[in-house]
Amino acid sequence: MMNFEVTPGMRRLGASVLGMEAIVAGLITPVAISVGGVEPALAVTVGIGLAVLCVVAAGLLKRPFGYVLGSVVQVLAICTGFVVTTMFFLGAIFTALWITVIIVARRVEGATSR
């Protein structure tokens, strides 16, 4: 199993991605209701639920489990495309950003610690 050390850069960048994702997730709620014709209860559950999960994951980024939860959030973000089709695309973008955060922050901080 790979040793997963949480670095300050990873926390900052990861929290930034999850924070922006929380805003987008919250904003899909009115779009799903008004444009997509989704039932309000479902739209609120999916949109606000994902936004809250993003905030919780961002708060847990001091521990490796936070990155597992953040990765689950990325899968769920893509799955919200079944409610609001645009989220397939936006979820993929946030997933790419999430993967980039983990890879780039580890490389940068690994290079600066040498």
Side-chain angles (χ1 to χ4, degrees):
M1 188 171 155
M2 190 171 82
N3 183 17
F4 189 82
E5 182 181 336
V6 176
T7 63
M10 286 174 62
R11 280 197 312 265
R12 281 191 297 273
L13 291 172
S16 297
V17 169
L18 289 169
M20 293 305 296
E21 192 168 5
I23 293 169
V24 170
L27 290 174
I28 70 166
T29 302
V31 172
I33 295 168
S34 61
V35 177
V38 176
E39 288 295 319
L42 176 62
V44 168
T45 301
V46 170
I48 303 303
L50 183 60
V52 168
L53 200 55
C54 287
V55 172
V56 169
L60 292 173
L61 291 181
K62 289 184 179 184
R63 299 183 183 94
F65 175 74
Y67 294 88
V68 172
L69 183 57
S71 299
V72 169
V73 165
Q74 303 316 311
V75 171
L76 293 175
I78 292 171
C79 289
T80 59
F82 292 109
V83 177
V84 177
T85 309
T86 307
M87 281 303 291
F88 284 125
F89 175 70
L90 292 173
I93 288 175
F94 278 111
T95 300
L97 287 171
W98 181 251
I99 292 167
T100 302
V101 160
I102 293 171
I103 293 171
V104 171
R106 288 179 61 97
R107 279 190 190 156
V108 167
E109 292 194 9
T112 58
S113 67
R114 290 182 204 166

